[in-house]
Amino acid sequence: MSSSVLQTAIPILAYCASSITMTLVNKLVLSSFQFHMVFFMLAAQAFGSVALMVLANRVGLNVKYRAMNKRDARTWFPVACSQALMLYTGGKALEYLNVPLFTVFKNLTIIAVAYGEKWVFKAAVTSLMLVSFGMMVMSSMVGAWNDMTFNGWGYFWMSTNCLASATFVIHMRKVIKQVNFQDFDTVYFNNLLTLPLYVVLSLVQEDWSGFVDYYSDKANAVELNSFTRGIFISGIAAFAISYCSPWCLRTTSSTTYSMIGALNKLPIALFAMMWFPDPVTAGGVLAVLLGFGAGLVYTHAKNVQKQAQPSGSQVLPPPISMDRLDQTARPDEAEHPSNK
């Protein structure tokens, strides 16, 4: 295999692996243990991202970010809070829903963002996009109909997450032009600004006394070790996604990156079906395939629209996932959201 092929293949595989790892570890941490510590997990991910970004910068890796300053922090803090709401509601939805169903319903966020962008930025919605939206709605209906472990709270948090995600994306794209953030600036500011928020909310909202009492019992030592490993891996995976996303962008075209993001949903669903004990039905598989196809159609429609748009025109956003890739948008993506 030639070195040029390897230079392209390695970042693509790293991006896919980090995305799959993040989603599966999130599901494991939030549903497989006695305590479901969403804020604590998000704090660990924020800390891991910031700490490893600083370390990567110190050892000479291509990780550069703007130093924290009051002016940018004040401007960006509302965006960071909207991201915190998006991640929290996504974590709660993932706690109650299985991963394939989560990926199916997450597609509905694309519709919310698309029409939000149409309202705010006067972005066009093409007929091919409408076809993909119809497929997304159909896949969600099929998934809900075949959900053998129906949980009302899961659907509540999923609906809330779709709205929170759309709010975050639209708000970020309005503010990012003001601060002119580059690759890792958004990741650094988002995580550093929300880390104290996650810690405080975890201490206030989550049952730390019960957590300490439960895991102080030696009979639960094995579970504590598994929980600790899960939290540790989630922190590393958060940084890995932050690093691999721009790395993949730099070594591939935006069209290739968009397609990778759409294709990656299928292995995430397949790995989840094999790893977790949730029931697998023919209808559930059909819902995943419909959602997968909808993502491909939407990605193609978005790329066609981007090629047809004059320079500087607003086009619709890329698909959104539960991983932390949405933090890495750059100023040019705010105007031309051509990758994800």
Side-chain angles (χ1 to χ4, degrees):
M1 187 177 293
S2 67
S3 60
S4 61
V5 173
L6 281 175
Q7 288 175 356
T8 302
I10 290 175
I12 290 174
L13 292 174
Y15 163 71
C16 292
S18 59
S19 177
I20 292 170
T21 300
M22 172 62 84
T23 303
L24 297 183
V25 170
N26 282 351
K27 174 63 177 176
L28 176 70
V29 171
L30 295 175
S31 65
S32 301
F33 301 105
Q34 181 70 21
F35 291 85
H36 305 153
M37 314 285 277
V38 181
F39 285 124
F40 178 57
M41 183 191 74
L42 292 175
Q45 291 175 358
F47 177 80
S49 294
V50 172
L52 290 173
M53 282 180 67
V54 172
L55 179 61
N57 180 267
R58 296 278 178 85
V59 299
L61 293 178
N62 191 19
V63 177
K64 299 177 181 178
Y65 49 87
R66 188 181 305 181
M68 182 63 66
N69 61 86
K70 290 182 179 180
R71 182 179 64 84
D72 288 338
R74 282 196 300 268
T75 304
W76 196 255
F77 184 69
V79 178
C81 288
S82 66
Q83 181 209 254
L85 181 62
M86 177 191 72
L87 293 176
Y88 176 74
T89 55
K92 294 299 290 185
L94 202 55
E95 178 182 334
Y96 293 105
L97 298 178
N98 61 57
V99 174
L101 194 61
F102 179 88
T103 61
V104 165
F105 277 94
K106 194 66 178 172
N107 273 340
L108 295 179
T109 300
I110 299 173
I111 303 176
V113 174
Y115 282 96
E117 293 263 345
K118 181 179 171 131
W119 180 55
V120 175
F121 298 112
K122 310 304 179 185
V125 176
T126 67
S127 57
L128 191 56
M129 289 176 181
L130 291 175
V131 171
S132 72
F133 295 164
M135 294 174 66
M136 292 172 192
V137 172
M138 186 180 299
S139 69
S140 300
M141 293 174 64
V142 172
W145 184 262
N146 290 273
D147 183 7
M148 298 181 65
T149 58
F150 182 87
N151 188 297
W153 279 112
Y155 286 90
F156 167 77
W157 286 113
M158 190 73 252
S159 301
T160 306
N161 178 249
C162 287
L163 294 175
S165 298
T167 301
F168 165 68
V169 171
I170 294 169
H171 191 194
M172 179 184 68
R173 287 178 179 155
K174 289 182 68 176
V175 176
I176 200 169
K177 297 178 185 180
Q178 301 174 26
V179 293
N180 195 30
F181 277 169
Q182 301 299 323
D183 277 347
F184 290 101
D185 296 338
T186 55
V187 182
Y188 184 73
F189 273 72
N190 277 337
N191 285 296
L192 196 56
L193 289 173
T194 56
L195 177 56
L197 180 65
Y198 293 144
V199 171
V200 171
L201 289 173
S202 178
L203 293 173
V204 172
Q205 293 289 327
E206 295 175 334
D207 185 12
W208 277 98
S209 60
F211 181 89
V212 172
D213 289 341
Y214 180 79
Y215 286 118
S216 295
D217 188 343
K218 291 183 179 180
N220 301 318
V222 174
E223 182 179 331
L224 176 61
N225 289 336
S226 298
F227 178 82
T228 304
R229 283 197 298 271
I231 290 292
F232 180 75
I233 293 171
S234 75
I236 295 176
F239 167 75
I241 286 174
S242 301
Y243 182 80
C244 292
S245 177
W247 183 24
C248 190
L249 272 169
R250 284 191 295 267
T251 55
T252 65
S253 68
S254 60
T255 302
T256 301
Y257 184 48
S258 299
M259 194 60 66
I260 293 167
L263 291 172
N264 206 35
K265 289 186 176 182
L266 187 59
I268 288 175
L270 292 176
F271 275 111
M273 288 177 181
M274 293 186 292
W275 194 5
F276 296 105
D278 299 311
V280 178
T281 65
V285 173
L286 176 61
V288 170
L289 293 176
L290 279 171
F292 174 68
L296 292 180
V297 172
Y298 180 80
T299 299
H300 175 64
K302 178 170 62 64
N303 288 328
V304 169
Q305 186 191 42
K306 178 179 182 293
Q307 293 171 4
Q309 287 282 344
S311 178
S313 298
Q314 173 68 35
V315 296
L316 290 176
I320 299 173
S321 59
M322 176 47 197
D323 58 35
R324 302 171 76 89
L325 290 174
D326 299 303
Q327 304 174 56
T328 59
R330 300 173 302 174
D332 60 318
E333 293 166 26
E335 295 183 52
H336 312 288
S338 60
N339 44 40
K340 176 77 74 133

